[in-house]
Amino acid sequence: MRMQDKVVAITGAGSGLGREGALLFAAEGARVIVSDVVAGRSQKVADEIRSLGGTATAVDADVRSEADMNALVGTAVDAYGRIDVMWANAGIPEPGFGMQPLAESSLDDWNNIFAVNTTGIYLAWRAAARRMIGDKTAGALLATSSAASFTAYPGFPMYTASKAAVNGLVRAAALEFGKFGIRANALCPTHGMSVNFALPPDAEVLGKSYEEMQPWDPDKRAMPLRVDRPPVLRDNAHLALFLVSDESAYMSGQTIQATDGGQFARTSIIFPTDLGEETDITAGSIPDDLRDQIDR
């Protein structure tokens, strides 16, 4: 049990990678505080964890809110006496999911993307670090960054900028908090990410990656690595588990590229080469019924 009795709070855990990580961590013995901005989603995940014999508490919280992030940490401490891990996982894409030119974007969109993707990590980490320092707990801070922080995604300039800022925060936090025994790292996924990320917040939680939503033929993938199954959410969750476990006790300030498949410039998502024409650079596609939800 790699996380036996560790107290772990995860933001954006009602769906996607956060949900998958919550299930994995609980199976490894963690006591998980499941947090999500969509009302009721966190409760469903917590109920699922408990039905499997794990320990979990649900919190509805918005990572843009300082009060909510403080309350999230407070919930962990009230329920389990401390907090050992804060995984700031919540994130949002850009309006239009890659189809809006930067010149036509709005300041409101820019501010909201940064509020969730960057400030949300700062607020969650700060709240957890304050408690860890006060309790003299050698804890771990984890963020979900993105491959976009290294290789810009076409059509995602604001998202790309927000994730690059996260990587800078990782390095600064590791430098700042290291003297307290607190580590700060991030995983930067490429493949195996949640198709729900492309869907409206109220969409059904599918629990699948983009690649799982289409027939899998490894010989038609853009990535050089050939595996007989598609990349899945758990492939990324396993890296998250490693980065907060004692196995990585001497790792801090790292932003690790996950599920790359050996060709980091390519990704699993449909991106336009021309903003007037969609091209799937990985020879796959999101099914039409899901595409209709994206376009709503």
Side-chain angles (χ1 to χ4, degrees):
M1 303 290 274
R2 297 161 71 186
M3 297 293 290
Q4 187 64 49
D5 295 328
K6 296 286 189 181
V7 179
V8 180
I10 307 175
T11 68
S15 66
L17 177 56
R19 171 182 171 272
E20 192 70 20
L23 293 168
L24 176 61
F25 287 18
E28 290 289 342
R31 294 173 286 184
V32 183
I33 298 86
V34 182
S35 166
D36 201 272
V37 70
V38 179
R41 262 192 183 178
S42 58
Q43 188 62 59
K44 290 181 180 179
V45 178
D47 289 344
E48 187 175 2
I49 289 171
R50 287 192 287 266
S51 73
L52 295 170
T55 302
T57 298
V59 177
D60 292 336
D62 188 336
V63 298
R64 297 169 295 183
S65 166
E66 180 178 15
D68 280 9
M69 291 302 96
N70 290 339
L72 175 59
V73 172
T75 298
V77 174
D78 290 345
Y80 307 113
R82 66 180 192 277
I83 183 167
D84 298 297
V85 175
M86 172 61 79
W87 181 5
N89 167 74
I92 58 172
E94 305 204 13
F97 205 72
M99 298 304 295
Q100 176 181 260
L102 180 59
E104 297 176 13
S105 62
S106 73
L107 179 59
D108 285 344
D109 288 340
W110 171 275
N111 287 339
N112 191 45
I113 288 168
F114 268 79
V116 176
N117 294 357
T118 309
T119 306
I121 292 172
Y122 158 72
L123 291 174
W125 277 14
R126 188 187 66 176
R130 285 175 171 173
R131 187 72 198 198
M132 292 172 183
I133 292 168
D135 290 347
K136 294 182 172 57
T137 299
L141 306 175
L142 181 65
T144 301
S145 183
S146 170
S149 63
F150 295 97
T151 301
Y153 288 176
F156 283 70
M158 297 182 287
Y159 177 85
T160 295
S162 70
K163 293 300 187 177
V166 169
N167 291 6
L169 178 60
V170 168
R171 293 188 291 272
L175 185 63
E176 179 81 16
F177 296 138
K179 62 190 174 188
F180 301 109
I182 299 169
R183 301 183 293 119
N185 294 293
L187 67 155
C188 304
T190 308
H191 304 280
M193 287 302 287
S194 173
V195 71
N196 273 96
F197 192 63
L199 303 179
D202 59 351
E204 177 188 357
V205 175
L206 300 174
K208 292 185 177 181
S209 67
Y210 295 94
E211 294 88 352
E212 289 181 281
M213 299 302 296
Q214 54 195 318
W216 179 254
D217 182 349
D219 292 329
K220 294 182 179 179
R221 299 304 100 188
M223 63 190 85
L225 179 64
R226 295 293 183 258
V227 180
D228 289 337
R229 64 163 178 84
V232 298
L233 295 170
R234 187 143 295 199
D235 291 315
N236 290 297
H238 278 303
L239 176 58
L241 175 62
F242 169 71
L243 288 173
V244 299
S245 73
D246 292 341
E247 295 165 11
S248 60
Y250 258 95
M251 292 181 65
S252 193
Q254 303 302 306
T255 48
I256 299 181
Q257 302 161 14
T259 53
D260 173 20
Q263 189 167 325
F264 188 67
R266 297 287 188 170
T267 68
S268 57
I269 308 173
I270 297 172
F271 292 125
T273 55
D274 182 324
L275 286 174
E277 176 183 358
E278 286 187 343
T279 301
D280 180 1
I281 61 176
T282 61
S285 62
I286 295 176
D288 290 341
D289 57 338
L290 297 181
R291 170 58 60 184
D292 290 342
Q293 294 187 57
I294 295 170
D295 292 340
R296 286 191 304 190

